[in-house]
Amino acid sequence: MELREILRPDATLPALLEGYAWLPDLVRRSGGAPVRTRLMGRPAIALHGLDAVPFFYDEQHIARRSALPGPVLDTLFGRGAVHTLDGPAHRARKALFVSLLKDPEGVDGLAGRAVKEWDTAVAEWAHRPRIELFTETSVLITRAVCDWAGVPRGEEDGRATARDLVAMVDGFATAGPRHWRARSARTRQEARLRALIEDIRGNGTERSGSALHAVALHRDDDGLLDAHTAAVEVLNIIRPTAAVAWFMAFAAHAMHRWPRQRELLREGGPADAEAFAHEVRRFYPFAPFLGGVAVRDLEWRGERIAEGTLVLLDVYGHHHDPAIWPDPYVFEPARFTDGGPAGSDLLIPQGGGDTATGHRCPGEDVTVALLKALVPRLARLEHGVPPQDLSIPLRRIPTRPVDGFLLAALPARTG
């Protein structure tokens, strides 16, 4: 390792303090050139641009297995998760997720369950002066995905499970109370799911045909998954689904900030809802960047990348780069109509590359289907937006509207 790499100051603290703006600011100051830095004591290089996406997702270049730090595994993904695998092992495990999460009939079934939960929740909301949309959608989506996956909802009719799933996502990129809540939540849910998996293996066909059953009996090349790893992978089905609550809060924010978009959703059809969903995923901050490790000495844009270097892909900056997206700070769903760039390496909120063989999230179809089903119902919901903090702090990862987006029932009309 070169001396200048050893002496380069570590940027872990600035990354934590500056949040989503940290990497785009570095890239901007570099004029788009690769940015060298250090994270968690390791030499790192940040890549940006359309050509960075296929380079990053080429397994001949970048491995994910050794890139995920322990705190992220202990909160967001879990030890032994598919995200920690590369090569044939990753493809074999991911085939399980693809079979469950990219089956059109299964995706439609999950979206249908979410719609029923939404309608039930709306009837209950009518009797409350106000609700926090983020929390309430996390609960109804958790109920839907648990029922769909064959997982018991848990205590408080799914509310306790929803709190744990949200905590795992909310605490992965921070220190302090949020992080420890995330660890505790994962420990609880892994233990609960492990018991269910052991019950299936011991008693045969209970919950046969469910996602829980499929994961419990899945075999990698090395045989049946150990019960802990199987529990981790069940969580990697239900946890990201519950995280759609972040996008629902952003969707409400967009409708409030640009009322015309709400009217278009009320008047439009499925194509308009899908375009809106994609623009929410592009415009609003979710994943700041992704990381991997160079598997050998590489070169990108003439820049040498030594084997073992941490390689970062600038996701938030990618979605707001005027060289990639015209008027990137304008919220415009129309950019995704008529065969727009959804599903390509232009739009990478849930990863890039190929879904079946690469690291693009197989749950992307589920995310889009849920948003496509729920945002028109949100647009048609009669509600008011009471005074609240609607800011979305970019220093917080993951971020959302500060007050979770409060909705108030509209007063009854008279006369």
Side-chain angles (χ1 to χ4, degrees):
M1 187 185 301
E2 297 180 10
L3 180 61
R4 63 180 176 178
E5 295 293 340
I6 297 173
L7 297 178
R8 195 181 301 274
D10 193 278
T12 303
L13 183 58
L16 289 173
L17 293 176
E18 297 174 31
Y20 291 91
W22 171 70
L23 195 51
D25 283 350
L26 290 180
V27 171
R28 193 176 301 113
R29 290 199 293 269
S30 77
V35 175
R36 292 193 179 273
T37 183
R38 290 180 71 83
L39 277 181
M40 296 172 291
R42 300 175 62 172
I45 186 168
L47 312 183
H48 178 93
L50 279 178
D51 55 340
V53 180
F55 180 90
F56 180 85
Y57 281 101
D58 186 337
E59 289 188 347
Q60 299 301 310
H61 296 156
I62 308 298
R64 301 289 295 278
R65 182 179 62 251
S66 56
L68 294 170
V72 174
L73 294 177
D74 292 332
T75 52
L76 190 63
F77 296 127
R79 299 278 176 172
V82 63
H83 311 78
T84 67
L85 305 175
D86 288 301
H90 176 262
R91 287 188 285 274
R93 182 82 60 82
K94 189 167 185 180
L96 169 66
F97 287 85
V98 170
S99 69
L100 294 171
L101 300 177
K102 291 193 73 66
D103 170 55
E105 185 176 346
V107 172
D108 288 345
L110 175 53
R113 288 178 184 272
V115 167
K116 290 180 181 178
E117 291 295 333
W118 174 273
D119 292 343
T120 300
V122 167
E124 190 268 331
W125 296 347
H127 302 288
R128 294 162 60 182
R130 66 178 57 187
I131 60 107
E132 184 202 318
L133 184 68
F134 174 82
T135 296
E136 296 303 320
T137 53
S138 75
V139 172
L140 70 89
I141 292 172
T142 295
R143 289 169 176 165
V145 72
C146 283
D147 292 352
W148 175 84
V151 175
R153 293 180 175 186
E155 297 177 1
E156 304 174 56
D157 195 24
R159 282 190 176 271
T161 300
R163 284 196 296 270
D164 278 351
L165 299 179
V166 166
M168 290 178 214
V169 180
D170 193 52
F172 84 94
T174 187
R178 284 168 55 202
H179 179 79
W180 292 108
R181 279 196 296 270
R183 281 179 177 259
S184 297
R186 172 162 288 282
T187 298
R188 268 192 304 274
Q189 291 301 322
E190 284 182 357
R192 184 171 82 96
L193 292 170
R194 178 171 182 162
L196 292 170
I197 287 160
E198 290 172 343
D199 183 57
I200 289 172
R201 291 176 177 179
N203 297 318
T205 60
E206 187 178 356
R207 301 186 183 90
S208 177
S210 67
L212 174 64
H213 188 269
V215 176
L217 300 185
H218 174 74
R219 292 179 178 270
D220 278 350
D221 291 341
D222 296 332
L224 196 68
L225 298 179
D226 66 86
H228 170 263
T229 302
V232 164
E233 299 300 34
V234 173
L235 273 177
N236 281 325
I237 292 173
I238 64 174
R239 171 192 50 76
T241 307
V244 174
W246 267 265
F247 290 123
M248 285 297 294
F250 291 144
H253 188 276
M255 291 182 208
H256 179 67
R257 186 174 177 187
W258 299 283
R260 176 58 180 157
Q261 296 299 332
R262 184 182 181 193
E263 294 305 316
L264 289 173
L265 287 168
R266 284 178 164 181
E267 300 165 2
D272 301 288
E274 184 169 335
F276 181 88
H278 289 315
E279 182 67 344
V280 166
R281 295 164 66 230
R282 180 201 70 85
F283 183 85
Y284 285 93
F286 193 64
F289 55 82
L290 299 169
V293 174
V295 299
R296 55 186 173 85
D297 289 344
L298 302 169
E299 187 174 296
W300 187 72
R301 291 188 183 176
E303 191 84 12
R304 179 179 173 273
I305 303 174
E307 179 181 350
T309 299
L310 186 61
V311 181
L312 309 178
L313 180 65
D314 177 20
V315 175
Y316 181 68
H318 175 99
H319 287 147
H320 296 83
D321 184 348
I324 300 174
W325 301 92
D327 300 317
Y329 289 96
V330 173
F331 185 88
E332 183 49 80
R335 70 178 83 235
F336 290 102
T337 59
D338 300 323
S344 71
D345 281 345
L346 284 170
L347 185 66
I348 56 170
Q350 290 168 274
D354 178 71
T355 300
T357 60
H359 285 272
R360 195 179 193 104
C361 177
E364 187 169 27
D365 289 357
V366 168
T367 298
V368 175
L370 288 173
L371 291 173
K372 186 177 174 180
L374 296 180
V375 294
R377 286 167 171 78
L378 176 61
R380 292 192 290 269
L381 186 66
E382 291 296 337
H383 65 271
V385 179
Q388 60 189 285
D389 190 344
L390 291 172
S391 64
I392 300 173
L394 291 182
R395 291 186 175 183
R396 189 188 200 279
I397 300 175
T399 191
R400 61 178 187 257
V402 169
D403 286 337
F405 209 92
L406 302 175
L407 300 180
L410 289 177
R413 295 180 180 178
T414 59

